[in-house]
Amino acid sequence: MRFIGSKALLLEEIDKVVQNNVIKAKSFCDIFSGTSAVARYFKKDFKIISNDLLHFSYVLQKATVENEHYPDFTKIKKLIQKDPFDYFDTIKITKNRIKNTPFIYENYSPNGKSGRRYLSSENALLIDFIRQTIEEWWESGLLEENGYYYLLAGLIEAIPFVSNIAGTYGAFLKHWDKRASKRLKMIKLDTLENKKNNQCFNKDSNKL
């Protein structure tokens, strides 16, 4: 994910500092987790306690730090006869398939009320459909907590790859970037089992 302040390119250097200065530590606290890149990296070595006030960050943490396995999605597979990632990646979407107000379509696509060009109309509709369907499955008891956050994280991570932006969502590009013409494809995030009862939070860091 493109994210200002991400430590993804500094992970090896951070690791060197930890190895040279920290002795016999058993836990690692990533208090401003952001994309959770640091927490994920050190999960192999420590019990992880991660936090961020941004809810999208909390979703990524829940999916990759607390969660240790790819969810089985048993109930969902019985309903749709396939893995939910395969389902979302192949479904043909039209506006009449969106049950509730298509928020992304109306506010971030050229054919919506705003006329913005952050996303193609097709991808905006697909994002609305996926987001609403995940919530519907969750509220219907068809998803366990780990599956719910894993699907949300897969959607969040996928959007930057089809967004018509230079790097952030402060503004969209005047001309369509090639990536924006691609169909959104959900991302299966890597999981790691460390059996250390990792914990994730969505709180003010001072209070935590």
Side-chain angles (χ1 to χ4, degrees):
M1 173 183 288
R2 288 175 288 173
F3 184 75
I4 293 176
S6 173
K7 308 299 186 296
L9 298 179
L10 300 175
L11 292 173
E12 292 184 1
E13 293 303 315
I14 296 172
D15 197 6
K16 289 179 183 177
V17 173
V18 172
Q19 296 298 327
N20 292 334
N21 295 278
V22 179
I23 302 174
K24 296 182 180 181
K26 295 182 179 180
S27 62
F28 187 107
C29 182
D30 186 12
I31 200 74
F32 306 111
S33 198
T35 62
S36 72
V38 175
R40 293 187 221 181
Y41 181 88
F42 284 98
K43 186 179 176 182
K44 65 185 185 301
D45 302 313
F46 303 97
K47 167 188 169 70
I48 301 296
I49 300 169
S50 64
N51 172 72
D52 205 290
L53 195 60
L54 295 173
H55 192 262
F56 96 88
S57 173
Y58 178 66
V59 171
L60 296 180
Q61 294 167 55
K62 292 286 285 186
T64 59
V65 177
E66 275 195 10
N67 185 30
E68 303 212 321
H69 304 282
Y70 181 76
D72 56 33
F73 297 118
T74 302
K75 295 178 180 179
I76 298 299
K77 289 178 180 177
K78 287 182 179 179
L79 175 69
I80 60 178
Q81 301 301 307
K82 61 174 64 177
D83 183 272
F85 281 82
D86 295 332
Y87 174 72
F88 289 134
D89 287 345
T90 57
I91 194 169
K92 293 183 179 180
I93 195 68
T94 57
K95 192 174 181 181
N96 60 13
R97 295 200 68 165
I98 310 297
K99 296 180 180 179
N100 300 313
T101 301
F103 178 82
I104 300 298
Y105 176 82
E106 290 190 352
N107 292 282
Y108 295 96
S109 79
N111 292 327
K113 293 179 179 179
S114 68
R116 292 171 171 171
R117 294 187 295 183
Y118 284 98
L119 296 154
S120 69
S121 298
E122 294 78 10
N123 279 327
L125 281 175
L126 183 57
I127 292 168
D128 279 315
F129 176 79
I130 294 172
R131 182 65 187 90
Q132 291 182 20
T133 301
I134 292 172
E135 201 66 22
E136 182 181 325
W137 287 345
W138 171 246
E139 293 177 352
S140 300
L142 296 173
L143 283 173
E144 301 294 334
E145 184 178 73
N146 68 329
Y148 174 68
Y149 283 107
Y150 191 84
L151 285 175
L152 287 180
L155 176 59
I156 289 172
E157 286 279 10
I159 293 173
F161 290 98
V162 296
S163 296
N164 191 43
I165 58 174
T168 73
Y169 292 90
F172 53 81
L173 298 174
K174 293 181 180 180
H175 303 288
W176 287 102
D177 188 279
K178 290 183 179 179
R179 78 170 71 89
S181 64
K182 299 177 181 178
R183 177 190 164 100
L184 177 134
K185 187 176 179 64
M186 293 272 284
I187 293 179
K188 292 183 178 180
L189 296 170
D190 292 333
T191 58
L192 172 71
E193 180 181 13
N194 70 358
K195 297 181 180 179
K196 297 182 185 295
N197 190 32
N198 310 289
Q199 296 174 282
C200 303
F201 298 91
N202 181 211
K203 296 184 177 181
D204 180 309
S205 60
N206 292 301
K207 295 179 180 178
L208 180 62

